[in-house]
Amino acid sequence: MHILEAKDVHHVYEGKIHALKGVNFRADRGEVVALIGPNGAGKTTLLKHFNGLLFPSSGKVYVRGVEVRKENLRDIRREVGFLFQNPDDQIIAPTVEQDVAFGPLNFGMEEEMVAHNVKDSLELVGMRGYEDRPPHTLSYGQKKRVAIAGLLACNPSILVLDEPFSGLDPSGKRELMNILLRLRDDMSLTVVYTTHDVNSIPEFADRLYVMYGGEVVVNGTPEEVLMDRNLEDIGLETPIMFRIFRELVNRGIDVRNPFTLKSLLDTIEGLANEKK
């Protein structure tokens, strides 16, 4: 059983805009799954089905084998934490501590457990010491981490993140990526996220889905998907590392253990030695 699954999901906005067209998707426990595609491909629409912000026009979505329905929405949203692209849409309390505590209190957790969860969650995202700060005084990246802490305080098993790296500088992006990887490795959390930053996918994601026109056009490991030239035909960029490897393969050069900087350097070193 997959921890998160969509089966033949269609979604029609206002009875005429067919945003999702028979999407099938799965994520397993402790897996990082990336969704990429051009604007308007349906990525955010799909994400919103995973915790009941939207419901399918047809098809079904399952969390831990349980169908997402209006009747069980409270349980689903405790299981699936959703991060909006703009953290200002999610942070509502006057202090960081109160904001992180809002979710678990709303789910009926005892105050002692809430206090414990708030402390641990802020520690996990590197925001201990900011408890009394008004959120509007934080940087954009800090706000994103506070919003994630608010999700973690509810003890979810799945994090669904809409463009978590947008608006971050390279160091902020790396810091957030490391936080999410620790959550996966230490807590076996499942992370599903959308991104336009294809260069980060090979070192971060375990599985990759590509969407176009409301459909999943290809999915697999990042190595399998990003070596596909057809991605450029739908307006997507292929990471520079993969473009280099692809050209090497096309020229008949044997690239062993590809898709890492070390393997690229080893290949170049081997070619240089052959010429000596």
Side-chain angles (χ1 to χ4, degrees), residues 39-257:
N39 291 334
K43 303 184 299 296
T44 298
T45 297
L46 179 61
L47 290 193
K48 288 182 176 179
H49 284 73
F50 293 155
N51 80 330
L53 289 170
L54 292 174
F55 292 94
S57 301
S58 64
K60 298 181 184 298
V61 176
Y62 298 91
V63 174
R64 289 184 174 274
V66 177
E67 184 182 352
V68 178
R69 304 173 63 89
K70 291 181 180 179
E71 295 79 13
N72 62 7
L73 208 50
R74 184 180 178 88
D75 293 335
I76 294 297
R77 289 182 175 172
R78 184 166 178 172
E79 197 76 30
V80 183
F82 190 99
L83 179 74
F84 291 92
Q85 183 173 346
N86 186 347
D88 288 323
D89 294 337
Q90 198 153 351
I91 296 176
I92 59 174
T95 70
V96 166
E97 184 175 40
Q98 289 173 304
D99 194 82
V100 176
F102 178 82
L105 286 173
N106 192 50
F107 282 125
M109 287 189 191
E110 295 182 0
E111 290 190 6
E112 185 176 348
M113 176 62 71
V114 171
H116 177 270
N117 284 9
V118 169
K119 178 180 176 182
D120 282 356
S121 298
L122 288 172
E123 185 73 42
L124 285 168
V125 301
M127 291 298 291
R128 280 294 303 278
Y130 290 81
E131 287 85 349
D132 296 327
R133 285 276 295 274
H136 72 268
T137 66
L138 302 176
S139 71
Y140 189 76
Q142 288 172 330
K143 288 178 182 178
K144 286 206 172 191
R145 284 187 277 155
V146 168
I148 291 173
L151 303 179
L152 295 175
C154 300
N155 295 328
S157 59
I158 304 166
L159 292 181
V160 174
L161 316 174
D162 192 12
E163 293 286 348
F165 306 122
S166 68
L168 300 180
D169 60 25
S171 63
K173 189 182 301 182
R174 169 57 60 185
E175 188 172 13
L176 180 55
M177 193 182 299
N178 287 337
I179 288 170
L180 294 172
L181 288 174
R182 285 199 302 272
L183 294 174
R184 180 197 66 180
D185 295 341
D186 297 344
M187 301 171 62
S188 295
L189 283 184
T190 300
V191 178
V192 179
Y193 75 106
T194 62
T195 186
H196 284 95
D197 180 16
V198 294
N199 286 293
S200 67
I201 290 172
E203 59 180 315
F204 184 53
D206 302 304
R207 179 172 295 275
L208 175 61
Y209 282 77
V210 180
M211 295 188 68
Y212 183 76
E215 300 178 281
V216 171
V217 295
V218 63
N219 79 88
T221 66
E223 291 83 0
E224 293 168 342
V225 174
L226 292 174
M227 287 292 281
D228 188 346
R229 284 185 181 274
N230 294 330
L231 293 184
E232 291 152 20
D233 296 337
I234 59 173
L236 294 177
E237 178 188 12
T238 300
I240 183 63
M241 185 77 75
F242 283 77
R243 296 204 297 271
I244 293 171
F245 278 123
R246 197 163 58 195
E247 286 304 315
L248 289 172
V249 171
N250 288 342
R251 296 183 184 200
I253 297 171
D254 181 24
V255 184
R256 297 178 181 177
N257 302 315

Side-chain angles (χ1 to χ4, degrees), residues 19-52:
L20 297 178
K21 304 171 184 177
V23 170
N24 292 291
F25 175 95
R26 68 169 176 82
D28 294 320
R29 179 176 173 82
E31 189 175 38
V32 176
V33 183
L35 276 167
I36 63 173
N39 291 334
K43 303 184 299 296
T44 298
T45 297
L46 179 61
L47 290 193
K48 288 182 176 179
H49 284 73
F50 293 155
N51 80 330

